[in-house]
Amino acid sequence: MPLVKVPATTANLGPGFDTLGMALELYDELLVELSPDLEITVTGEGEATIPRGPENIAYRAAMAVLNRAGRPEVKLKIEMHNRIPVARGLGSSAAALVGGLVGANALLEAPLSQEELVNLATYLEGHPDNVAPAILGGLVVAARDGDRVYYRRLEPPAGLMTVVAIPQFTLSTRVSRGVLPTRVALSDAVFNLSRVGLLLAAVQAGDLELMGKMMEDKLHQPYRLPLVPGMGEVFNAAREAGALAVVLSGSGPSVIAFCHGRNPAVGEAMAAAFAHHGVACTIKELAPCYQGASVILNTSNSL
Ligand code: HSE
């Protein structure tokens, strides 16, 4: 009966659209066990909205592992205890998906390797930038080549802290991707790829100043501005309060500021700027999470 702890994730990190992501110290927990019938319970975030049927993301992911292992007849009970706010750009669906995969894999005594889990999770989610850091922890860079995902995990630089402003309203990834163009200017592509390259060099060198400078983006955030009231002002407020960088977390609507150590003034400034646009938000200071999804308890009713 595996109990899996899965971290939240922030995708893109500014310029690394669908490519970069980092795990954060905020967790969902999923208990996966054998059951005579499908049963799903949810407490905490998403309690009122997350589906309890076979369309549940964690359940679908768990069944994908059982199917791949040749055990499609197995039925499961999944208990979800959620702390990651749903549909806010903090990887809640990736956490559910990864929790289902890792839980079912543990129940079967791990037929799938970590690399197979990253590949299966990316296939199910459609992009790797939340699921890969949710599995691996740290900061992950990933590239898809057809069905295969290449990835490397990097250690987030020492001293890095984030402050996340989480608006009360939700924004689905589908809607937030729907506003993006199908073609972009070559100069915008060069702007982003030069920054991603230097951002990764800065991460490896532990250079927080350079990392912050390289987190600008021209490929997705400008198009998403109209979806998040006050986003431009929140960005300015965080920078003026001393953040190294500020970006949309994943597809939004949360805004995440990157700081050198704790800086409570950044959260206060972001909340005030959102309030100025009539948007109530919660502020969370979250450190990078160095460990990916892990089985924290496994009592013995595995298959
Ligand atoms: N890279 C994805 C996007 C992340 O920005 O749409 C979604 O969480």
Side-chain angles (χ1 to χ4, degrees), residues 11-12 17-18 127 129-130 173 177 224 250-251:
N12 302 328
F17 181 72
D18 279 1
H127 45 92
D129 45 341
N130 290 109
T173 298
R177 291 176 86 84
R224 288 170 161 172
S251 57

Side-chain angles (χ1 to χ4, degrees), residues 178-204:
V179 300
L180 301 180
T182 49
R183 288 167 178 270
V184 297
L186 181 62
S187 56
D188 288 350
V190 171
F191 182 96
N192 273 50
L193 68 89
S194 56
R195 276 154 186 79
V196 169
L198 270 172
L199 195 161
L200 293 174
V203 168
Q204 285 187 304

Side-chain angles (χ1 to χ4, degrees), residues 5-294:
K5 183 177 169 188
V6 193
T9 45
T10 183
N12 302 328
L13 303 178
F17 181 72
D18 279 1
T19 301
L20 302 181
M22 189 175 79
L24 299 169
E25 283 192 342
L26 176 69
Y27 305 93
D28 284 351
E29 286 177 7
L30 292 92
L31 186 68
V32 180
E33 59 185 306
L34 300 174
S35 164
D37 286 306
L38 157 66
E39 192 184 338
I40 294 164
T41 62
V42 184
T43 57
E45 297 287 343
E47 196 173 306
T49 52
I50 289 175
R52 268 65 162 182
E55 72 277 31
N56 178 281
I57 292 173
Y59 182 77
R60 279 182 33 224
M63 289 312 294
V65 172
L66 294 171
N67 284 330
R68 196 165 280 202
R71 303 297 304 269
E73 78 289 357
V74 172
K75 294 205 169 49
L76 298 174
K77 174 177 179 187
I78 300 183
E79 284 179 24
M80 305 174 75
H81 304 283
N82 295 341
R83 291 190 200 90
I84 306 171
V86 173
R88 304 303 214 295
L90 289 168
S92 62
S93 62
L97 196 160
V98 166
L101 288 184
V102 171
N105 201 42
L107 206 55
L108 296 171
E109 291 173 353
L112 300 190
S113 67
Q114 189 176 66
E115 189 176 346
E116 287 170 317
L117 290 175
V118 172
N119 277 275
L120 181 54
T122 301
Y123 169 75
L124 294 171
E125 173 94 335
H127 45 92
D129 45 341
N130 290 109
V131 290
I135 293 172
L136 302 160
L139 192 158
V140 178
V141 51
R144 293 185 82 175
D145 181 20
D147 284 343
R148 177 142 186 223
V149 185
Y150 292 88
Y151 57 89
R152 286 292 177 271
R153 178 197 177 283
L154 305 177
E155 208 69 7
L160 182 65
M161 267 300 289
T162 76
V163 185
V164 193
I166 308 165
Q168 265 174 9
F169 70 91
T170 59
L171 175 59
S172 80
T173 298
R174 187 182 50 78
V175 168
S176 192
R177 291 176 86 84
V179 300
L180 301 180
T182 49
R183 288 167 178 270
V184 297
L186 181 62
S187 56
D188 288 350
V190 171
F191 182 96
N192 273 50
L193 68 89
S194 56
R195 276 154 186 79
V196 169
L198 270 172
L199 195 161
L200 293 174
V203 168
Q204 285 187 304
D207 185 341
L208 283 179
E209 290 293 328
L210 183 63
M211 180 185 174
K213 277 199 186 358
M214 291 302 127
M215 292 180 83
E216 286 181 316
D217 156 72
K218 289 198 178 186
L219 292 184
H220 67 104
Q221 292 180 166
Y223 305 99
R224 288 170 161 172
L225 267 168
L227 300 176
V228 184
M231 183 173 141
E233 199 178 314
V234 175
F235 276 29
N236 290 336
R239 283 194 207 100
E240 278 163 23
L244 298 166
V246 54
V247 300
L248 201 58
S249 185
S251 57
S254 295
V255 173
I256 182 165
F258 292 78
C259 299
H260 192 168
R262 292 196 56 217
N263 186 345
V266 169
E268 287 161 22
M270 290 200 290
F274 261 138
H276 192 232
H277 289 264
V279 176
C281 71
T282 306
I283 300 294
K284 282 189 195 292
E285 287 193 321
L286 298 174
C289 168
Y290 292 82
Q291 197 189 353
S294 54

